[in-house]
Amino acid sequence: MCGIVGYVGDKTAVPLLVEGLKKLEYRGYDSAGVAVLDEGSLTVKKSVGKLAALESKLGDEMPQTTVGIGHTRWATHGRPSDRNSHPHTDCTGKIAVVHNGIIENYLELREWLSGQEHAFSSETDTEVLPHLVEEFYTGNLEEAVHRVLGMVKGSYAMVVLHQDEPDKLVAARKDSPLVVGLGDGEYFIASDIPALLNHTRKTYILNDGEVAVLTRQGVKITDSKGNVIPKQVFQVNWSAEAAEKGGYDHFMLKEIHEQPRALRETISSRLAADNTHVILREVGMTAEEINKIRNIRIVACGTASYAGMVGKNVIEKLARIPVEVDIASEFRYCDPLLTPETLVVIISQSGETADTLAALREAKKNGCRVLAVTNVVGSSVSREADDVIYTWAGPEIAVASTKAYITQLAAMYLLALYLGQVRGTVGQELAQELIAELKNIPGKVQRILDGAPLIRDLSQTFTDVEDAFFIGRGLDYAVSMEGSLKLKEISYIHAEAYAAGELKHGTLALIVDKVPVIALATQESLFEKTLSNIQEVRARDAKVIGMVFEGNNQMKKSADYVLYIPRTHQFLAPLLSVVPLQLLAYYVSLARGCDVDKPRNLAKSVTVE
Ligand code: M6R
């Protein structure tokens, strides 16, 4: 995830900026840069790779300036490169901007700016910002930034430096964090608290819509209309380690809580404002090529393959194309039946999983078109695939995948709707209903997160459990697979997922007194059937934890405990039903004293076969 640091004071800025950026390294990045005013003119140094590469570019003779901004970039729009690194500048080279988040309407703005004779030098969404500031600058940077904010859509934490106002930084935020550090005659700005802790623990936490102006004389905060607002000092009492986790006890919990934002960033620029269609510019296939697809093979490992199971279900329903889901380690050795009309969809958070990459190459060797869904721009998978849909979850640090999975699901819905609309297999009414509801999903995920204490209480009953079962039908079965993996990998409880109707073909023999059975029943069309399967395990004295939409009064008659999730279209239920399962796995792991973020025997990225 990108990191921002800015400084105004009386010390040499460059070492402070680099030191601050180092404190944000844990968040992951692929390039870095700084912009400072050197003898009155703006100097920008940036480099792909680690901070050491930037430091060697900066050399020993660093500018002695006392104002500057710095950035570590996690690529989204445009691959990792010197050119795409921040800070970005305008045509005059006087304005520098660092930015976290995504400017959703950047293509539109870029087109408009190009018409005003602005020349662009990167592929990023961010670069529109310095050009917009240039366009509106009439001697007052703060005013120009306010005008720019009125034009951009999306999420941002940004800091702007202008050569003509040399002792000033102007910063703004919406849906991406930004914190002001209050020193003695010196002021800092950063995307995350760890970057400030060596210098101050007194901060202002900026809220959405607020703009901060930092000078050596102090900090002024205004609202979106430019009215000055009073701000309370927030005294940070966290340790450096807790600060890295944003105050959460573990990266996994932090990442679970980042899901509303990750979803918003992944879907919002890809859904038409009037809900009529999905925009997937990154899929380069023509309508003719899409209409020629005879079958789809989704290939992935672990969690990513369970996202693929949801993908199979929704692509078959909406685009009416037969889909198979293959585990990558099997696919490459099973002599897969592939034709040029087979679309192979590769899902990989890291984009570096050895088996998944080998499967991609196998598909290419067979002449298939390969579409990748990955979270890492510039990863091997992204470089070798024909088309890439990026999930914009930001780096995932905990081994157990959470925000990457939910954004992979989002990508599956986008793809299914897109293929369905091109092939004419999805009705306009259904498409509009699903698109409108997709936009509501981040808020509904947030509501589930707000109810986390209830799930923490439930987790206490799992401390001495040895086995657990997850059951569901249709999409609920696909999510059960992921729920079961989450529980086993971080709590070491033996857990299995079954299609609810399959239990009585063998597994029912394992259902004995008090064995927890987590039964997902969000698929209303299958509800009665699932309820019958619940009765089967209840009759064997299982402890049933049911999951249904709010307003369902039937489950409580059959279950020992009911998890309620906000009501949504049943196609979209996985985006919500997985969240309580992630929280349950997290709290059970905690209650059992396991190493939540680094479970035994597992690695985040599996780059060996
Ligand atoms: O990076 P990838 O998505 O290719 O990783 C695939 C699996 O190793 C991964 O999803 C794994 O199952 C999860 N970390 C489990 O939570």
Side-chain angles (χ1 to χ4, degrees), residues 244-246 248 250-258:
E244 284 190 0
K245 293 173 186 144
Y248 291 101
H250 296 93
F251 282 112
M252 182 182 177
L253 190 59
K254 175 171 179 272
E255 287 159 5
I256 290 173
H257 281 266
E258 282 172 349

Side-chain angles (χ1 to χ4, degrees), residues 157-451:
M158 67 167 103
V159 187
V160 190
L161 173 64
H162 196 307
Q163 184 180 299
D164 293 347
E165 295 181 53
D167 297 332
K168 185 183 284 180
L169 297 179
V170 180
R173 80 151 266 178
K174 180 175 166 272
D175 294 334
S176 192
L178 211 45
V179 190
V180 176
L182 307 166
D184 194 6
E186 59 178 1
Y187 300 92
F188 302 80
I189 185 122
S191 52
D192 301 85
I193 287 171
L196 309 175
L197 289 185
N198 275 355
H199 305 282
T200 180
R201 285 179 172 265
K202 277 187 352 191
T203 64
Y204 289 149
I205 311 279
L206 292 191
N207 293 323
D208 279 352
E210 291 178 353
V211 172
V213 180
L214 286 73
T215 60
R216 283 193 194 87
Q217 287 67 48
V219 179
K220 178 177 88 171
I221 313 277
T222 58
D223 64 15
S224 57
K225 298 197 178 76
N227 303 312
V228 177
I229 46 175
K231 205 72 191 158
Q232 264 202 326
V233 173
F234 174 71
Q235 183 78 30
V236 181
N237 294 320
W238 303 334
S239 65
E241 199 200 339
E244 284 190 0
K245 293 173 186 144
Y248 291 101
D249 289 338
H250 296 93
F251 282 112
M252 182 182 177
L253 190 59
K254 175 171 179 272
E255 287 159 5
I256 290 173
H257 281 266
E258 282 172 349
Q259 290 183 116
R261 181 199 55 73
L263 277 171
R264 264 186 211 107
E265 297 209 337
T266 302
I267 62 175
S268 32
S269 61
R270 290 159 168 161
L271 299 176
D274 61 2
N275 301 335
T276 53
H277 60 284
V278 166
I279 308 154
L280 272 188
R281 289 191 187 90
E282 48 272 78
V283 177
M285 276 178 285
T286 62
E288 198 191 342
E289 285 166 332
I290 289 176
N291 279 309
K292 274 197 187 146
I293 299 171
R294 296 269 302 274
N295 68 323
I296 295 180
R297 303 284 290 256
I298 301 181
V299 193
C301 296
T303 285
S305 74
Y306 300 142
M309 285 175 63
V310 172
K312 168 185 163 67
N313 196 306
V314 294
I315 293 170
E316 288 189 342
K317 283 200 174 78
L318 300 175
R320 308 306 294 160
I321 305 172
V323 184
E324 276 178 73
V325 182
D326 291 273
I327 292 168
S329 56
E330 291 291 314
F331 181 82
R332 55 195 288 203
Y333 299 118
C334 74
D335 195 9
L337 290 173
L338 303 169
T339 71
E341 283 80 42
T342 305
L343 172 68
V344 173
V345 176
I346 295 285
I347 310 179
S348 174
Q349 184 280 131
S350 61
E352 301 295 348
T353 302
D355 284 318
T356 310
L357 197 54
L360 183 158
R361 291 174 181 157
E362 177 73 22
K364 295 283 292 178
K365 206 169 76 195
N366 281 275
C368 300
R369 183 149 188 139
V370 175
L371 184 152
V373 173
T374 182
N375 196 34
V376 182
V377 178
S379 58
S380 304
V381 160
S382 76
R383 282 186 272 116
E384 296 189 31
D386 298 295
D387 308 281
V388 186
I389 300 178
Y390 287 108
T391 52
W392 287 324
E396 200 176 55
I397 294 169
V399 166
S401 189
T402 53
K403 62 177 181 170
Y405 170 78
I406 213 164
T407 54
Q408 287 164 353
L409 292 188
M412 290 295 105
Y413 286 103
L414 294 170
L415 181 63
L417 280 162
Y418 183 71
L419 295 176
Q421 86 202 11
V422 174
R423 290 167 71 97
T425 49
V426 55
Q428 191 56 32
E429 202 178 316
L430 176 60
Q432 272 186 247
E433 190 187 346
L434 291 174
I435 292 171
E437 183 55 11
L438 267 173
K439 292 180 183 173
N440 294 329
I441 292 289
K444 292 185 178 180
V445 170
Q446 186 58 55
R447 274 181 51 207
I448 299 173
L449 296 175
D450 295 342

Side-chain angles (χ1 to χ4, degrees), residues 71 79 105 157 204 275 339 442 512 575:
H71 191 262
R79 62 180 53 247
N105 57 339
Y204 289 149
N275 301 335
T339 71
V512 291
L575 289 162

Side-chain angles (χ1 to χ4, degrees), residues 3-26:
I4 289 178
V5 181
Y7 178 77
V8 183
D10 53 10
K11 301 197 182 97
T12 309
V14 175
L16 289 175
L17 297 174
V18 174
E19 177 215 296
L21 293 176
K22 282 186 179 164
K23 298 285 175 207
L24 304 181
E25 280 193 296
Y26 70 94

